Amino acid sequence: MSIQILPEEVASQIAAGEVVERPASVVKELIENALDAGADQITVLVREAGRRLIEVVDNGIGIPVEELEMAVHRHATSKLRQAADLFRVSTLGFRGEALASIGSVSHLTLTSRTRHQDLGGSIEVEGGEITGTAQLGIPPGTTVRVEHLFYNVPARLKFLKTDRTEKRHINKTVSRYGMANPGVRFKLYQDDELVFQTNGSGDLREAISAVYGVGHARQMVEVIYEDQNLRVNGFISPPGLTRSNRQEMLFFVNGRPVQDPALSKAITQAYHTLVMKGRYPFTVLFLELPPEKVDVNVHPTKAEVRFEEKSQVFQGVGRAVRRALLAHSPVPGVSNLRGVNLWGGPTPDHRQVQRGIDPAWSMLERAREETLVHQGEDDDQIPAPLNTPILRLIGQVAATYLIAEGPDGLYLIDQHAAHERVLFEKMLASRESPPSQALLESVVVDFSPASADLLTENLALLRGLGFDVEDFGPGSFVVRAVPALVGEASPEGLLHAAVEDLEADETPLENKVEEKIIARVCKRAAVKAGQVLTPQEQKQLLLDLEACQSPRTCPHGRPTMIHIPVEFLEKKFGRIV
Amino acid sequence: MKISVLQENLAHGLSIVSRAVSPRSTLPVLSNILVATDDGRLRLSATNLEMGITCWIGAKIEEEGSTTVPARTFSDLVSTIPPAKTDISLHEPTQTLNIKCGSLNTDIKCIDAQEFPPMPSPDLEAGIEINVTDFKEMIKQVVFAASHDEARPILTGVLVTVEDNILTLAAADGFRLSVRTAQLSSPAPAPVKAVIPARALSELARISNDGSEVITMALPPERGQVIFRTKDIELTSQLIEGTFPDYQQIIPKEYLTRTILSTESFLKSCKQAEIFAREGSLIAQVNIRPGPEENSPGEVEISGQSEETGSSQAIMDATIEGEDIIIAFNVRYLREVLDVIQTPNVALETSKPTSPGVIRPVGDDNFLHVIMPMHLGS
C-alpha cells in the first residue's frame, strides 16, 4: 500500500480519540472552555449518561457570530498566539482541539452571543462537517449541545461502561471543577434531575460541603502555605476521616485538576503514623506555581503535568500538609460515631457521597446541625489550636479506657494507644544518630542507571546515616558498613530500601527507624489494655499525652481518643432536638 | 503391635524427638511421631522434612508393628501418667493406639505409618567419629555467630570441614566470625566440606548425652544430607546449598595491640555496658591504655550509654602489648563470644578503630572469633 496523507475526517477522528474518551471528557472540555470564557454560572445537562445529550450552558463572554465557524476548526483557539505562549499558559485550555474533536464524533450545536452584539448565532456540525448556521436572539453566553456522542465511532460506543459508571464519572468531573472554582455556580442535571450544585459564594469549604456533605466539610483542616515558588492552599481530611483508596486525593495545579502519584505519595508520607495502614486521607489542594515552572502540555487531556523542580514541589506540599495536621489534629468526633456502620447498610463513604449530591439532604443537615456548625466555626477561629484540650480525669473503664472531661465534652482515651504515642515521641526525641557497623565482607550492590545516579548524588547523605558506600564502576556500589540500628537486615536490602526512599523524596530509612522504635515501644514498655491503673498513673498519662506533638493517634495511626461533645449527649438525652 | 515400656523412658524419648515435630503443617502426618518396633527396641521418630530426629528406647516387645501418633496428645498424656510400666497396643484396622497404665485406659487415633516420610538408613562405615562432649562444646562456640536472616540462607548454616584429622566449624553472620578446630582421633576417610543448618547443630548439642560417648557423622554422597548418630539417637538434616564465604581471608594476619584480660571480668564489664547500650544501638566503647612503661600493667575501660537510661564505665587491669587504641563494638557480640570461652584469660587483638578485632582464648589455639567494629556517625 502506498503512503497517503490521511483525509481530514479520519485524522480528526483519531485526534478526537485522544481528547474525547468518554462522555465525562466532553463535560470536562466544555466546562474548561466555559471557565476560560469567564463564566460565573455553568449549567450542565446530561441525558442517558451523555450518550443522548450533553449540554453546557455558560454566561461567559461568548463568541462573536462571525467567529463561530472558526471556533469549530482544529487548532483554532483564542487562548494562544505563538509557541512561546505555551510556556506561560494560564488558561485551562489552549490546544484548540476540544470543539473540533467533539464535533467530529457527534452532532454538535454551538450557540453564542457576546454582550456587545444584539443577535447571537448558532452553528451545527455533524461528524466534523458544518451542516447549518442561523442567527437568533438569546441571552449572552455560550451553549454547547453535544448529541449522539460517538454515533460514528461504534468501537468507542461499545467500550463505554454502564450508565451508572459513566454518570459517576460525569458527577466526579463536575464536582471537581465545582471545588476548584468555588466562585462559579455549578449545576448538574442528570436526566432532568438536579444532582449537584454549588452556590458560587467563593467559599471553598462550602463548595466542599456540596461534594462531601456538611459533616465532612466541617471537619476538614485548612492548609495555607507559601514559599518562594509555591503556594499551597485547600483542605485536607483530619486523621480520623479516611478512605480506603487514594482516589479522593484531589490536586489542582494552577486551577487544573491533575493526577500525580508522587503528590499522593507526599501526602501519604505527611500522614505517616497518623492514619492506619491501608487507609488514605482525602484532600482538595490547590498548588499555585509560576506558569513557567510547570509544563501542562504533557497529556492530551492535560490530566498530568510536569514540574520543573519536582522535589521542591513535593517537599513543599508535604511540609504544608504536615504543618496543618500538627497544628490541628482534631479528635475523631460524633460524626464518626454516627458513621460507624452498625447495620450492614451502605458504607459511610457512599452515604456521604449521596448526601453531597442531594441538596435537600444537605439543607436538612445544615439546619439540624446548626449548633455544631457554629461550634466548628468557633474552633477554627482559635488562632493557635491546642493539641489536646486540658483534661480532667474521671476514671478508668474496662481497665482499658480512661474517661476525662474537656472543655467541650467527654473524652474517651485508649490507655495502650495513648501510652504508645507518649513513649514513641520520647524515643524519637532522644534518638541518636545511628553508629555504623562494619561488614565482615564488603558487598557489591547493583543498581539501574537512574537509581545509580541518584545514589551517587546522595553518597554524602548516606555516609552521614552510617553507610560506608562507594562507587564501584557503572551501576555498582560497594558497601563496607551499614547503620547499626537497622543493621540486622541484609546490606543489599538496606541500601535498596534507602535508594527507594530517596526516589520517593523521603529521608532515607526514616520509616525503617521509626518502625523499629515503634516495635520497641509496643513490645516492651506501653501499658496494655486490661491493666488496672492507679489514679496517679492515669493522671500522669493524660499529662504526658497533652505534651505530645500528635497526641490524637498512636504510632500505628489508630486513634488514642474519642471525643463526645456535650451537644451529642444532650441530643441523646432529648434535651435538644 | 503390642509392647510394654517404662513411662520414664517413653517421656524421655518423646521429649527428644518432639523438637523435630512440625506443629503446623499441611501434611498431617508431620505433626505425628512414628512409633515402631525395631530390632528389640522401640523406635520414636519425628521430622519436619528439614530435620529429623529418631530415638530408640528399651521396650518389651510382644508383637511387632508401627504407627504414627499425634505428637502433642501423646506427649501431654505420657507426661501425666505415673512412672510405671505402660502397656501399648495398636488395633491395626482402625489405627487406634490403646495405652494402659495403672487405672488409665486411653485410645488415641493414629495415622498409618506408611504415610510417614521414609527416614534414610545411613551407611555409618564411612562416617567420622567424634567425642560427644568435645563436639557439643565446638557447636556451642560457633552457632551463635550464624545469621538468623533467611534472606542469606548460606549464613544461617555452619561450615563443617574435615581434612585429614582436623575438624573445623565456622559460622558468620556478616558482622562476626567464629572458627573452632579440633583434632580427630583418626584421620577421616575422605575430606568433607558441608554447610549444616545452625539450628540442627543446636538441637544436636541439646539432645545428645554428655560423657565419653562417640558421635558418628556421615554425609552420604549425592544426598544433600548429614546424619549424626549416637547409640540411642539419630539426627538427620538437609544441608544448605551454596558457597560459604572464604573466611580465611577475613581473619586479620597481624595486629598492633594485643590486650590480655581476665575472661570473667571482661564478660562482667560487657554485661554492665550492655544494660545501658541495649537502649540505643548496642554500641560499647573499648578504650585500651597501655601502662606508662613497658611491662607495667595497663588498663581497659569499657563504656556503654544511652540517652534514656544513663551510662556505665568499667575499668579493668590488663596486660597490653602495643599502642593505645579506642575501638567500638556491638556489646552483644562481645558478650556472646566471651560466654563460650572456657580459659581464664582472653586476648583481644586490634589494629585500627576501623579494622576487625580478634578474640582468642589464651593458651588454646583451637578457637578464634572476629568482630567488625562500629563507629559513631559524624
Side-chain angles (χ1 to χ4, degrees):
Chain A
M1 247 181 10
S2 58
I3 295 175
Q4 290 177 351
I5 301 282
L6 286 174
E8 173 64 25
E9 59 176 279
V10 180
S12 54
Q13 276 193 21
I14 293 173
E18 287 177 5
V19 179
V20 188
E21 195 187 355
R22 54 173 12 139
S25 12
V26 174
V27 173
K28 169 184 178 299
E29 294 295 336
L30 297 181
I31 289 179
E32 287 193 348
N33 280 347
L35 289 170
D36 284 345
D40 62 8
Q41 281 189 30
I42 297 175
T43 307
V44 182
L45 292 131
V46 177
R47 286 229 171 93
E48 291 176 20
R51 278 172 231 264
R52 181 69 188 270
L53 169 78
I54 298 168
E55 189 176 84
V56 175
V57 183
D58 72 47
N59 62 348
I61 51 170
I63 306 168
V65 176
E66 57 277 13
E67 288 178 16
L68 275 179
E69 203 169 312
M70 192 107 102
V72 297
H73 268 108
R74 178 162 305 279
H75 307 308
T77 181
S78 57
K79 301 166 189 173
L80 278 188
R81 287 287 174 260
Q82 56 199 41
D85 290 349
L86 206 48
F87 299 103
R88 40 171 188 277
V89 179
S90 57
T91 49
L92 295 173
F94 55 83
R95 295 165 66 107
E97 268 181 334
L99 276 184
S101 299
I102 297 168
S104 66
V105 292
S106 68
H107 297 148
L108 178 114
T109 314
L110 177 64
T111 316
S112 190
R113 176 168 85 84
T114 64
R115 275 167 218 284
H116 341 281
Q117 286 180 319
D118 296 334
L119 264 186
S122 86
I123 183 165
E124 283 175 36
V125 182
E126 211 167 291
E129 299 283 320
I130 295 172
T131 52
T133 55
Q135 293 223 331
L136 63 170
I138 44 158
T142 307
T143 301
V144 186
R145 211 180 148 83
V146 178
E147 287 165 290
H148 311 122
L149 184 66
F150 298 137
Y151 77 98
N152 55 352
V153 199
R156 209 22 85 90
L157 206 53
K158 215 165 71 191
F159 280 104
L160 287 185
K161 299 274 166 20
T162 59
D163 277 11
R164 252 182 62 189
T165 312
E166 296 299 338
K167 274 185 185 169
R168 211 183 62 228
H169 280 287
I170 294 170
N171 289 350
K172 229 182 204 172
T173 307
V174 179
S175 59
R176 266 168 212 204
Y177 281 94
M179 286 189 282
N181 303 279
V184 180
R185 199 166 160 156
F186 278 89
K187 278 187 185 168
L188 169 63
Y189 292 88
Q190 296 264 23
D191 297 320
D192 294 324
E193 195 188 332
L194 179 64
V195 292
F196 172 77
Q197 69 171 337
T198 65
N199 59 10
S201 67
D203 182 348
L204 178 58
R205 211 188 269 268
E206 283 188 33
I208 291 175
S209 73
V211 180
Y212 293 111
V214 183
H216 279 16
R218 189 168 54 83
Q219 292 184 48
M220 297 288 273
V221 179
E222 187 160 17
V223 179
I224 302 170
Y225 174 86
E226 196 169 345
D227 65 21
Q228 281 163 320
N229 286 321
L230 175 72
R231 197 152 69 215
V232 184
N233 62 57
F235 287 90
I236 54 177
S237 64
L241 203 59
T242 53
R243 295 281 148 105
S244 60
N245 60 48
R246 291 190 179 84
Q247 278 165 24
E248 296 295 324
M249 289 194 208
L250 307 182
F251 305 101
F252 301 89
V253 174
N254 293 343
R256 194 186 302 281
V258 297
Q259 295 157 356
D260 192 317
L263 277 176
S264 314
K265 183 118 196 209
I267 302 280
T268 320
Q269 180 59 25
Y271 276 84
H272 187 59
T273 80
L274 293 178
V275 296
M276 269 185 256
K277 266 216 164 95
R279 301 295 297 180
Y280 301 94
F282 57 99
T283 67
V284 184
L285 280 184
F286 297 89
L287 278 63
E288 275 173 61
L289 294 94
E292 65 272 13
K293 296 265 180 206
V294 49
D295 183 0
V296 291
N297 193 16
V298 180
H299 192 267
T301 62
K302 305 169 199 118
E304 285 169 23
V305 293
R306 209 166 276 158
F307 298 107
E308 194 178 284
E309 278 141 5
K310 204 172 138 196
S311 61
Q312 274 183 18
V313 173
F314 299 145
Q315 277 166 19
V317 170
R319 219 174 292 139
V321 170
R322 191 83 191 176
R323 210 175 274 175
L325 281 176
L326 287 184
H328 198 92
S329 309
V331 182
V334 257
S335 65
N336 280 47
L337 285 180
R338 203 177 38 203
V340 172
N341 187 6
L342 291 170
W343 310 109
T347 62
D349 283 5
H350 288 152
R351 225 154 52 190
Q352 287 302 338
V353 173
Q354 278 166 9
R355 285 176 193 179
I357 55 176
D358 178 357
W361 201 96
S362 57
M363 297 306 272
L364 190 68
E365 178 170 271
R366 203 182 290 242
R368 203 194 285 157
E369 294 203 354
E370 204 156 30
T371 41
L372 289 186
V373 173
H374 280 307
Q375 175 86 24
E377 279 163 4
D378 287 346
D379 276 354
D380 288 346
Q381 279 158 16
I382 296 171
L386 292 164
N387 281 334
T388 10
I390 293 169
L391 298 173
R392 180 176 71 85
L393 178 73
I394 297 170
Q396 192 183 23
V397 262
T400 304
Y401 307 102
L402 303 186
I403 309 181
E405 187 191 357
D408 49 355
L410 191 62
Y411 285 81
L412 296 176
I413 294 142
D414 180 323
Q415 64 187 39
H416 175 65
H419 199 209
E420 273 185 349
R421 167 54 69 180
V422 168
L423 292 173
F424 177 65
E425 291 204 359
K426 239 186 229 167
M427 285 199 179
L428 211 57
S430 69
R431 175 169 54 122
E432 322 138 31
S433 67
S436 104
Q437 165 72 62
L439 299 176
L440 261 184
E441 257 199 319
S442 47
V443 175
V444 177
V445 191
D446 294 321
F447 285 95
S448 72
S451 305
D453 284 349
L454 192 67
L455 191 52
T456 315
E457 276 171 38
N458 290 290
L459 279 183
L461 175 67
L462 290 180
R463 282 189 194 127
L465 285 174
F467 278 104
D468 180 355
V469 55
E470 245 175 74
D471 206 332
F472 194 64
S476 293
F477 292 83
V478 57
V479 187
R480 295 204 182 83
V482 292
L485 187 59
V486 287
E488 303 280 309
S490 77
E492 294 99 318
L494 218 49
L495 193 59
H496 274 289
V499 171
E500 275 164 28
D501 287 344
L502 282 173
E503 280 165 355
D505 279 301
E506 288 162 17
T507 317
L509 304 183
E510 184 76 16
N511 288 350
K512 270 202 174 321
V513 173
E514 279 183 8
E515 270 165 31
K516 196 102 177 176
I517 295 178
I518 291 171
R520 257 170 61 195
V521 166
C522 307
K523 203 167 61 189
R524 265 187 346 152
V527 295
K528 296 276 182 296
Q531 193 172 332
V532 178
L533 302 180
T534 63
Q536 286 91 331
E537 285 175 305
Q538 300 171 18
K539 240 179 228 162
Q540 188 58 46
L541 182 55
L542 287 190
L543 285 177
D544 289 345
L545 192 63
E546 281 168 22
C548 282
Q549 263 199 313
S550 336
R552 309 294 169 119
T553 54
C554 83
H556 303 94
R558 286 198 306 270
T560 55
M561 51 174 82
I562 296 173
H563 175 207
I564 301 173
V566 176
E567 286 84 352
F568 179 78
L569 297 175
E570 287 180 338
K571 258 195 244 170
K572 283 281 157 187
F573 283 110
R575 287 173 174 273
I576 55 169
V577 194
Chain B
M1 185 169 70
K2 201 161 178 213
I3 51 172
S4 314
V5 287
L6 279 175
Q7 183 270 349
E8 303 99 290
N9 291 347
L10 193 55
H12 173 70
L14 288 175
S15 77
I16 285 174
V17 299
S18 54
R19 292 295 281 242
V21 172
S22 147
R24 278 170 297 274
S25 171
T26 51
L27 289 173
V29 76
L30 295 188
S31 313
N32 284 13
I33 290 173
L34 176 76
V35 179
T37 54
D38 184 9
D39 203 13
R41 291 193 294 176
L42 186 66
R43 174 182 160 182
L44 305 172
S45 291
T47 176
N48 56 22
L49 298 181
E50 276 181 13
M51 180 175 77
I53 302 176
T54 296
C55 179
W56 287 268
I57 57 173
K60 192 174 146 227
I61 293 167
E62 285 169 39
E63 201 185 306
E64 305 272 336
S66 65
T67 188
T68 73
V69 195
R72 188 75 200 281
T73 317
F74 200 22
S75 306
D76 287 355
L77 181 74
V78 169
S79 66
T80 61
I81 57 182
K85 191 174 84 110
T86 311
D87 295 317
I88 298 174
S89 63
L90 176 73
H91 182 245
E92 291 251 5
T94 56
Q95 288 291 323
T96 306
L97 195 71
N98 178 268
I99 299 165
K100 276 202 190 86
C101 179
S103 57
L104 176 86
N105 184 2
T106 56
D107 287 316
I108 304 179
K109 286 184 178 156
C110 300
I111 300 177
D112 196 319
Q114 294 294 318
E115 288 184 32
F116 199 77
M119 305 279 264
S121 44
D123 173 17
L124 294 170
E125 290 298 300
I128 295 156
E129 295 194 338
I130 315 158
N131 175 289
V132 169
T133 315
D134 292 350
F135 197 50
K136 277 174 81 163
E137 193 193 296
M138 291 180 77
I139 292 172
K140 220 172 88 189
Q141 286 182 329
V142 297
V143 282
F144 68 91
S147 169
H148 299 285
D149 181 8
E150 292 297 330
R152 286 177 297 174
I154 192 78
L155 295 185
T156 63
V158 173
L159 176 71
V160 179
T161 46
V162 182
E163 260 175 58
D164 297 329
N165 60 348
I166 302 290
L167 167 70
T168 310
L169 304 192
D173 68 358
F175 307 113
R176 54 187 165 160
L177 164 75
S178 223
V179 184
R180 167 69 204 252
T181 53
Q183 209 146 22
L184 298 174
S185 49
S186 56
V192 170
K193 193 169 190 178
V195 181
I196 301 172
R199 193 177 153 238
L201 288 178
S202 299
E203 283 302 327
L204 181 67
R206 193 186 64 85
I207 61 178
S208 44
N209 296 321
D210 282 315
S212 55
E213 228 183 293
V214 165
I215 195 163
T216 310
M217 173 172 81
L219 291 119
E222 312 294 325
R223 282 250 295 272
Q225 275 182 333
V226 63
I227 295 143
F228 294 98
R229 176 80 177 261
T230 65
K231 200 167 101 258
D232 299 325
I233 294 168
E234 184 180 288
L235 183 142
T236 313
S237 170
Q238 300 292 326
L239 297 176
I240 300 176
E241 285 183 24
T243 316
F244 199 83
D246 178 10
Y247 65 86
Q248 289 295 351
Q249 61 171 31
I250 294 166
I251 302 170
K253 304 282 177 289
E254 50 206 12
Y255 57 85
L256 294 178
T257 312
R258 182 176 159 96
T259 310
I260 294 172
L261 294 145
S262 143
T263 311
E264 198 192 326
S265 57
F266 194 5
L267 178 59
K268 200 188 277 167
S269 305
C270 286
K271 282 180 176 166
Q272 286 160 351
E274 188 178 354
I275 295 170
F276 296 91
R278 70 183 174 208
E279 301 296 328
S281 325
L282 284 166
I283 188 167
Q285 214 171 57
V286 182
N287 188 345
I288 299 171
R289 297 185 288 257
E293 295 150 42
E294 213 169 313
N295 297 328
S296 72
E299 55 181 30
V300 174
E301 181 187 313
I302 297 183
S303 54
Q305 61 164 340
S306 91
E307 295 275 330
E308 235 176 298
T309 38
S311 62
S312 94
Q313 288 87 30
I315 296 177
M316 293 166 286
D317 289 336
T319 311
I320 300 166
E321 165 194 326
E323 300 161 16
D324 58 329
I325 181 174
I326 299 177
I327 188 166
F329 292 109
N330 182 323
V331 67
R332 209 184 74 216
Y333 295 171
L334 284 178
R335 195 243 306 148
E336 283 179 348
V337 59
L338 293 170
D339 253 338
V340 299
I341 288 178
Q342 312 286 349
T343 60
N345 289 308
V346 64
L348 169 65
E349 295 168 6
T350 48
S351 317
K352 281 189 303 186
T354 52
S355 310
V358 181
I359 288 176
R360 299 176 194 268
V362 173
D364 176 4
D365 290 341
N366 291 324
F367 179 68
L368 78 88
H369 191 81
V370 180
I371 310 184
M372 296 307 292
M374 295 173 97
H375 35 91
L376 283 165
S378 46

